[in-house]
Amino acid sequence: MKKLFIVLIALMATNGVAQERKVNKAGKEYTNLAFIDAQELYLRIVKNGYSSPEILAKLGDTYYFNDDLQESYNWYSQLFEKYSDNIKPEYYFRYAQSLKSVRRYDEADVLMAKFNTFKGYDSRADNYSKQPDYLQIIDFQSGRFEVENAREINSFTADFGPSFYDDQNQVVFATARDTGSFIKRVHEWNEQAFLQLYTSDADSDGKLDNARNLSSALNTKWHESTPGFTTDGETVYFTRNNSEKGRLRQDVDGLTKLKIFKSTRKGNSWTNAVEVSFNSDEYSTAHPALTPDGKKLFFVSDMPGSIGYDPEEEFTRSDIWVADVALDGTLSEPRNVESINTNGRESFPFVSKNNVLYFASTGHQGLGGLDVFASTINADGSMSEVINIGKPVNTPYDDFSFIVDDDTNLGYFSSNRPGGKGDDDIYRFKQMEQLRNMCEILLTGTVTDAQTDEPLEGALVSIMDSNNNQIDQITTRANGKYVFKLECDKQYFVRAAKEDYTPDEELFTTPATSDFIDIPLELSNSKIPVLECDDLAKILDIEQIYFDFDKSNIRSDAAAELAKIQAFLELYPQTKIEIRSHTDSRANDAYNDALSERRAQSTRSWLIDKGIDANRITAKGYGERQLVNRCSNGVSCTPAEHQLNRRSEFIVSGLENYTDCE
């Protein structure tokens, strides 16, 4: 038996070492972003019964950073369930985004509120605190698009990153379909073929067909994606793996970054692509997008100077940058577009003819995954407020690479939402209404019950101008929330009313610039619900019925409180009450029984003297036999603790045929 015990210990120790080696190997591959193999290792470790905060966090990360938020939700949920006291702040944000992907928005809001308590952590918490009612704001922008899948050109793999190739009436995009090759080249990030640039023809309705390889001069055996063309179609900037003469280049840690390349068209052919000046082997640059006048190049990078830059977390955070394009084509030093960037991931910029910068982000408040946002580029180069463009473009899944032609209101974007043909699909849309860019105020708020703090459904919320003319009104749903669009620099009333409640209203003046205002409204119930055996002292907020020391006569301050009981009995003549008087333990039991009985009877007599039928009132003293805390005989307690036991209860009956309220 002893020998068997030793063998078991040795086997357990061997398994433990093997598991630790697996953890270390998987962790290394996680750092290198080879997520598929890391997933398999972590899954096996968990299957074998080995779990830790690190394992669950990194297993969730392998799905989170591969944009599979529904699967990352499964692992982050276990992390929070099992190790809630040992979680880094970053995971509150990641779990919240994963919860959104399964439409558990209320739980996501709770996590974001917690994330917001980590003061100074990063701008994503600030975004939540500034826009706590972001779902209403998203709904406010929603419904402006008609969307359908561009199935004619989508494949069963990844198709994304559309770009207008205007002079050819074409749309160029990236695809992993890997056609025309006898050898299927698979990338270890996601086990899909390397990306190539394809083009397709666009008709007057935006429908695409005839997908084909754009150019053998631009496409290599590595990744090419997200092109951006000049308006004359003679120059293209695009993303490619860091490579030279057919060989991949790596940084000091052995990772291959992304770079932006540039090519010009000579006749029907493209020249050999060259790198832009701000590329580096040590960080990535990607997703170039030109302004309509060709004078600025927006792009994405995780270079030093990015918000939340962390060399230990490659590709998990990226910012949008901009460089000036000189007449000779040279580029200035890049500048971080700080006003729109967060500690999350900003990517896939596009500038429309109306100078609106569209981009995808995980850091601004959205529906989950990547959402598409918009910010107008002002004449002085500053950026307007970032706005989520709403549904149906945005969903709980990844929605990105948004482009639009402001002349035709037709455009395209990419998404991995359910119902697609492949992994990422291209969707076409018609924009039915322009993005609102005038000065406007979004007024939001929640109508609650003043007694319970619960949201009120069915409250009528009205907006009145300074002359008390009604401007608009809505009825609240179950969450009690309301939202209105108002004009800037004007005075309004917001008023809430509901049957059996006292209305509430607030006077306010809107600011002179676009902004969000939140005004909560509380309604007091004018008909308080009472159930059989309820204690009226709690329902009516009755203060302590005070008696002078060793006395049982009703004091004036006690009478003011008993008047509430009197009023109730008068309003509801079918009801009865039992008065229960309690003392603390600071006297002998018999004395306290007698004192509480006298006080109960004194209270009853006071109500009878006020005209209440004696048959409707019973009274009983309980002495110290029903203490509400530990302060029994011989226990040392503070005066405040003893005070809790000196109380009066007024128990309602008569609402049902028979009830035992003991």
Side-chain angles (χ1 to χ4, degrees):
M1 195 67 175
K2 182 177 180 181
K3 181 178 180 181
L4 176 60
F5 178 76
I6 293 174
V7 170
L8 287 174
I9 290 295
L11 180 60
M12 291 169 63
T14 302
N15 284 342
V17 171
Q19 297 285 14
E20 291 293 343
R21 287 174 179 168
K22 285 186 178 181
V23 170
N24 293 335
K25 181 182 177 185
K28 181 178 180 181
E29 293 184 356
Y30 162 79
T31 301
N32 288 330
L33 301 180
F35 288 144
I36 298 299
D37 288 344
Q39 286 174 5
E40 293 175 356
L41 286 171
Y42 287 134
L43 288 169
R44 177 59 61 89
I45 293 168
V46 173
K47 182 180 179 180
N48 290 344
Y50 187 97
S51 179
S52 71
E54 178 192 13
I55 293 296
L56 294 177
K58 287 191 173 181
L59 185 52
D61 287 348
T62 62
Y63 290 101
Y64 182 87
F65 293 120
N66 241 1
D67 296 322
D68 189 351
L69 297 187
Q70 290 181 313
E71 192 62 34
S72 67
Y73 155 75
N74 292 330
W75 298 105
Y76 289 151
S77 62
Q78 293 187 47
L79 173 66
F80 276 73
E81 180 181 347
K82 296 179 179 179
Y83 304 104
S84 59
D85 296 331
N86 191 22
I87 297 175
K88 297 178 181 178
E90 184 71 4
Y91 286 94
Y92 285 85
F93 181 84
R94 293 176 187 172
Y95 187 26
Q97 304 311 304
S98 302
L99 282 165
K100 290 179 185 178
S101 73
V102 293
R103 292 181 169 84
R104 298 174 69 166
Y105 294 113
D106 289 343
E107 294 173 65
D109 287 350
V110 171
L111 283 175
M112 285 303 299
K114 175 67 174 178
F115 183 68
N116 194 31
T117 65
F118 299 107
K119 298 298 183 183
Y121 185 69
D122 69 27
S123 57
R124 286 166 291 176
D126 188 48
N127 282 332
Y128 176 80
S129 64
K130 288 180 179 177
Q131 299 183 19
D133 295 319
Y134 64 93
L135 291 176
Q136 287 181 297
I137 296 167
I138 292 172
D139 285 342
F140 190 76
Q141 284 286 348
S142 295
R144 299 185 298 109
F145 300 91
E146 292 180 351
V147 172
E148 63 178 345
N149 189 296
R151 293 186 177 275
E152 300 83 3
I153 64 162
N154 286 321
S155 67
F156 291 98
T157 58
D159 302 279
F160 69 94
S163 177
F164 292 119
Y165 190 12
D166 287 342
D167 74 323
Q168 301 292 321
N169 291 323
Q170 295 175 11
V171 170
V172 178
F173 61 98
T175 181
R177 64 191 67 192
D178 198 47
T179 58
S181 175
F182 291 104
I183 302 174
K184 186 174 179 65
R185 291 173 288 105
V186 174
H187 196 286
E188 69 175 342
W189 283 3
N190 55 14
E191 294 188 342
Q192 289 201 7
F194 279 83
L195 298 167
Q196 303 281 277
L197 294 177
Y198 269 52
T199 189
S200 60
D201 299 320
D203 67 15
S204 59
D205 294 323
K207 292 186 177 180
L208 304 175
D209 64 5
N210 191 25
R212 58 200 182 275
N213 193 299
L214 174 64
S215 168
S216 58
L218 297 181
N219 287 322
T220 66
K221 61 182 179 180
W222 311 117
H223 280 308
E224 280 84 27
S225 67
T226 53
F229 295 87
T230 54
T231 54
D232 61 8
E234 295 297 315
T235 302
V236 62
Y237 296 85
F238 63 96
T239 306
R240 176 185 284 172
N241 283 124
N242 181 13
S243 59
E244 185 177 26
K245 296 181 180 180
R247 298 178 63 86
L248 292 177
R249 294 171 57 88
Q250 298 176 332
D251 66 5
V252 294
D253 295 321
L255 292 176
T256 297
K257 303 293 187 177
L258 299 175
K259 288 186 174 182
I260 295 174
F261 287 77
K262 174 185 176 182
S263 177
T264 56
R265 192 170 64 181
K266 301 296 183 182
N268 294 323
S269 301
W270 291 95
T271 61
N272 288 331
V274 295
E275 293 187 33
V276 298
S277 56
F278 46 72
N279 283 342
S280 171
D281 291 345
E282 300 306 316
Y283 55 78
S284 287
T285 57
H287 313 322
L290 288 160
T291 53
D293 60 10
K295 294 181 179 180
K296 294 184 185 300
L297 180 71
F298 286 84
F299 65 97
V300 172
S301 180
D302 60 352
M303 68 174 65
S306 298
I307 297 177
Y309 170 72
D310 185 348
E312 299 300 320
E313 294 197 37
E314 297 92 351
F315 300 146
T316 64
R317 297 172 179 175
S318 59
D319 280 4
I320 293 176
W321 295 71
V322 64
D324 299 322
V325 183
L327 291 176
D328 62 0
T330 57
L331 298 170
S332 70
E333 284 295 313
R335 304 180 300 278
N336 189 300
V337 190
E338 294 182 356
S339 62
I340 67 171
N341 289 319
T342 69
N343 281 66
R345 178 163 40 127
E346 278 70 49
S347 57
F348 300 101
F350 168 78
V351 183
S352 73
K353 294 176 182 177
N354 290 339
N355 267 345
V356 177
L357 173 64
Y358 295 90
F359 63 97
S361 174
T362 62
H364 292 282
Q365 289 299 322
L367 295 174
L370 286 166
D371 271 26
V372 177
F373 296 83
S375 176
T376 300
I377 305 172
N378 299 317
D380 62 358
S382 63
M383 306 299 299
S384 70
E385 185 174 12
V386 173
I387 297 175
N388 187 305
I389 69 171
K391 309 169 189 174
V393 170
N394 289 325
T395 67
Y397 301 88
D398 283 329
D399 309 291
F400 57 101
S401 291
F402 179 97
I403 64 173
V404 62
D405 184 334
D406 289 325
D407 293 334
T408 64
N409 288 320
L410 299 175
Y412 309 88
F413 67 95
S414 307
S415 178
N416 65 352
R417 65 189 62 187
K421 191 174 180 180
D423 184 6
D424 295 316
D425 273 13
I426 294 173
Y427 290 77
R428 63 173 165 266
F429 65 81
K430 182 174 180 62
Q431 184 173 246
M432 310 304 294
E433 179 186 349
Q434 292 292 325
L435 186 71
R436 302 182 181 99
N437 56 13
M438 58 180 287
C439 181
E440 62 185 19
I441 304 297
L442 281 182
L443 171 67
T444 63
T446 305
V447 182
T448 58
D449 185 306
Q451 281 73 40
T452 66
D453 288 329
E454 293 295 320
L456 282 177
E457 182 178 8
L460 186 65
V461 184
S462 304
I463 290 292
M464 322 293 288
D465 65 16
S466 56
N467 296 318
N468 209 34
N469 297 314
Q470 182 175 296
I471 304 300
D472 199 359
Q473 68 176 195
I474 64 169
T475 301
T476 59
R477 297 182 180 179
N479 61 7
K481 295 184 181 296
Y482 68 86
V483 59
F484 293 103
K485 182 182 75 171
L486 304 176
E487 296 181 28
C488 294
D489 200 22
K490 285 196 173 184
Q491 192 176 62
Y492 295 94
F493 285 96
V494 58
R495 181 179 304 149
K498 181 178 170 65
E499 186 177 0
D500 297 333
Y501 283 83
T502 302
D504 187 21
E505 70 175 12
E506 291 285 343
L507 172 66
F508 63 99
T509 300
T510 56
T513 58
S514 295
D515 206 346
F516 301 98
I517 300 176
D518 186 81
I519 300 180
L521 297 170
E522 289 187 341
L523 302 187
S524 298
N525 196 333
S526 57
K527 291 186 178 180
I528 303 171
V530 180
L531 300 176
E532 194 86 0
C533 300
D534 275 350
D535 180 6
L536 289 179
K538 296 178 180 178
I539 293 175
L540 302 178
D541 291 326
I542 292 177
E543 299 291 339
Q544 178 69 44
I545 304 297
Y546 288 106
F547 295 87
D548 290 329
F549 179 71
D550 201 28
K551 303 291 184 181
S552 58
N553 57 296
I554 302 299
R555 298 183 351 181
S556 59
D557 55 353
E561 296 300 316
L562 289 177
K564 298 177 183 179
I565 303 296
Q566 175 190 349
F568 174 83
L569 292 170
E570 290 172 346
L571 288 171
Y572 301 95
Q574 80 277 20
T575 60
K576 299 179 180 181
I577 63 167
E578 178 192 353
I579 301 169
R580 298 176 179 178
S581 180
H582 305 270
T583 68
D584 60 36
S585 62
R586 290 181 295 180
N588 66 63
D589 294 358
Y591 177 85
N592 283 334
D593 282 343
L595 178 62
S596 64
E597 182 66 24
R598 291 198 306 273
R599 288 176 173 176
Q601 295 301 329
S602 178
T603 302
R604 178 175 183 269
S605 296
W606 187 93
L607 289 168
I608 293 172
D609 289 344
K610 298 300 179 182
I612 304 301
D613 188 340
N615 293 324
R616 297 175 60 196
I617 311 171
T618 59
K620 183 176 181 179
Y622 286 82
E624 59 183 272
R625 285 173 288 150
Q626 294 185 359
L627 301 176
V628 296
N629 55 26
R630 62 184 180 85
C631 299
S632 58
N633 291 334
V635 177
S636 177
C637 290
T638 65
E641 289 175 314
H642 283 300
Q643 178 65 51
L644 293 175
N645 290 313
R646 297 196 303 274
R647 67 197 190 279
S648 296
E649 297 174 313
F650 302 87
I651 307 302
V652 179
S653 62
L655 299 176
E656 299 177 6
N657 291 331
Y658 173 79
T659 300
D660 183 2
C661 294
E662 290 296 330

Coordinates of all heavy atoms in Angstrom, one line a residue, residues 3 29 119 143 158 167 171 190 211 225 228 238 243 289 355 395 399 436 440 477 496 535 545 585 660:
K3 N 3.9 1.5 -1.2 CA 4.5 1.6 -2.5 C 3.5 2.2 -3.5 O 3.9 3.0 -4.4 CB 4.9 0.2 -3.0 CG 5.6 0.2 -4.4 CD 6.0 -1.2 -4.7 CE 6.7 -1.2 -6.1 NZ 7.1 -2.6 -6.5
E29 N 3.3 30.9 -27.3 CA 2.6 31.0 -28.6 C 1.5 32.0 -28.5 O 1.2 32.7 -29.5 CB 2.0 29.6 -29.0 CG 3.1 28.6 -29.3 CD 2.6 27.3 -29.8 OE1 1.3 27.1 -29.8 OE2 3.4 26.4 -30.1
K119 N -9.7 54.1 -11.3 CA -9.5 55.5 -11.7 C -8.2 55.7 -12.5 O -7.2 55.1 -12.1 CB -9.4 56.4 -10.4 CG -10.7 56.4 -9.6 CD -11.9 57.0 -10.5 CE -13.1 57.1 -9.6 NZ -14.3 57.5 -10.4
G143 N -31.2 52.8 -38.1 CA -32.2 52.8 -39.1 C -32.0 53.6 -40.3 O -32.9 53.9 -41.1
A158 N -12.5 34.4 -46.0 CA -12.6 35.8 -45.5 C -12.6 36.8 -46.7 O -11.7 36.7 -47.6 CB -11.5 36.2 -44.6
D167 N -12.1 55.4 -61.0 CA -12.0 55.7 -62.4 C -12.4 54.4 -63.2 O -12.6 54.4 -64.4 CB -10.7 56.2 -62.8 CG -9.6 55.2 -62.8 OD1 -9.6 54.3 -61.9 OD2 -8.7 55.2 -63.6
V171 N -14.7 48.0 -57.3 CA -14.5 47.9 -55.8 C -13.4 46.9 -55.6 O -13.6 45.7 -56.0 CB -15.7 47.6 -55.0 CG1 -15.4 47.3 -53.6 CG2 -16.7 48.8 -55.1
N190 N -4.9 32.1 -38.2 CA -6.3 31.6 -38.2 C -6.5 30.4 -39.2 O -7.6 30.1 -39.5 CB -7.3 32.7 -38.6 CG -6.9 33.4 -39.9 OD1 -6.1 32.9 -40.6 ND2 -7.4 34.6 -40.1
A211 N -15.6 39.0 -59.7 CA -14.5 39.1 -58.8 C -13.3 38.4 -59.4 O -13.3 37.3 -59.9 CB -14.8 38.5 -57.4
S225 N -3.7 43.6 -48.4 CA -5.1 43.9 -48.0 C -5.3 45.4 -48.0 O -4.4 46.2 -48.1 CB -5.5 43.3 -46.7 OG -4.8 43.9 -45.6
G228 N -6.0 51.8 -50.6 CA -6.6 53.1 -50.7 C -6.1 53.8 -52.0 O -4.9 54.0 -52.1
F238 N -1.4 50.3 -49.9 CA -2.1 49.1 -49.4 C -1.2 48.5 -48.3 O -0.1 48.9 -48.0 CB -2.3 48.1 -50.5 CG -1.1 47.6 -51.2 CD1 -0.5 46.4 -50.8 CD2 -0.5 48.4 -52.2 CE1 0.7 45.9 -51.4 CE2 0.7 47.9 -52.8 CZ 1.3 46.7 -52.4
S243 N 8.1 42.3 -45.8 CA 8.8 41.4 -46.6 C 9.7 42.1 -47.6 O 9.5 43.3 -47.9 CB 7.9 40.5 -47.4 OG 7.0 41.2 -48.3
A289 N -5.7 55.2 -45.9 CA -6.9 55.9 -46.4 C -6.6 57.3 -46.7 O -6.3 58.1 -45.8 CB -8.1 55.7 -45.4
N355 N -15.8 64.7 -46.1 CA -14.8 64.8 -45.1 C -15.2 64.2 -43.7 O -14.9 64.8 -42.7 CB -14.3 66.2 -44.9 CG -13.1 66.6 -45.7 OD1 -12.4 65.7 -46.3 ND2 -12.8 67.8 -45.9
T395 N -23.6 45.6 -35.2 CA -24.2 44.4 -34.5 C -23.4 44.0 -33.3 O -22.3 44.6 -33.1 CB -24.4 43.2 -35.5 OG1 -23.0 42.8 -35.8 CG2 -25.1 43.7 -36.8
D399 N -18.0 44.6 -37.1 CA -18.4 45.3 -38.2 C -17.4 46.4 -38.5 O -17.0 47.2 -37.6 CB -19.8 45.9 -37.9 CG -20.8 44.9 -37.4 OD1 -21.2 44.0 -38.2 OD2 -21.1 45.0 -36.2
R436 N -26.1 62.8 -38.9 CA -26.5 64.1 -38.4 C -25.2 64.9 -38.0 O -24.5 64.4 -37.2 CB -27.4 64.0 -37.2 CG -28.7 63.3 -37.6 CD -29.6 63.2 -36.4 NE -30.9 62.5 -36.7 CZ -31.1 61.2 -36.4 NH1 -30.1 60.6 -35.7 NH2 -32.2 60.6 -36.7
E440 N -26.8 69.5 -32.1 CA -28.0 68.9 -31.5 C -27.6 68.4 -30.1 O -26.5 68.1 -29.8 CB -28.5 67.8 -32.4 CG -27.6 66.7 -32.6 CD -28.2 65.6 -33.6 OE1 -29.1 66.0 -34.3 OE2 -27.7 64.5 -33.6
R477 N -40.7 52.6 -21.4 CA -40.8 51.1 -21.4 C -40.4 50.6 -20.1 O -40.2 51.3 -19.1 CB -40.0 50.5 -22.6 CG -40.5 50.9 -23.9 CD -39.8 50.3 -25.1 NE -40.3 50.7 -26.4 CZ -39.8 50.3 -27.5 NH1 -38.7 49.5 -27.5 NH2 -40.3 50.7 -28.7
A496 N -42.3 64.4 -16.2 CA -42.7 63.0 -16.2 C -44.0 62.9 -15.4 O -44.1 63.5 -14.3 CB -41.6 62.1 -15.7
D535 N -46.0 46.1 7.5 CA -45.7 47.0 8.6 C -45.8 48.5 8.1 O -45.0 48.9 7.3 CB -44.4 46.8 9.2 CG -44.1 47.7 10.4 OD1 -45.0 48.4 10.8 OD2 -42.9 47.6 10.9
I545 N -41.4 56.1 17.3 CA -42.4 56.6 18.2 C -41.7 56.8 19.6 O -41.5 55.8 20.3 CB -43.6 55.7 18.3 CG1 -44.2 55.5 17.0 CG2 -44.7 56.4 19.3 CD1 -44.7 56.8 16.3
S585 N -33.2 45.7 26.0 CA -33.0 44.7 27.1 C -32.5 45.3 28.4 O -32.1 44.6 29.3 CB -32.1 43.6 26.6 OG -30.8 44.2 26.3
D660 N -52.9 35.0 9.1 CA -52.1 34.9 10.4 C -50.8 35.6 10.1 O -50.0 35.2 9.4 CB -51.9 33.4 10.7 CG -51.2 33.3 12.0 OD1 -50.9 34.3 12.7 OD2 -50.9 32.1 12.4

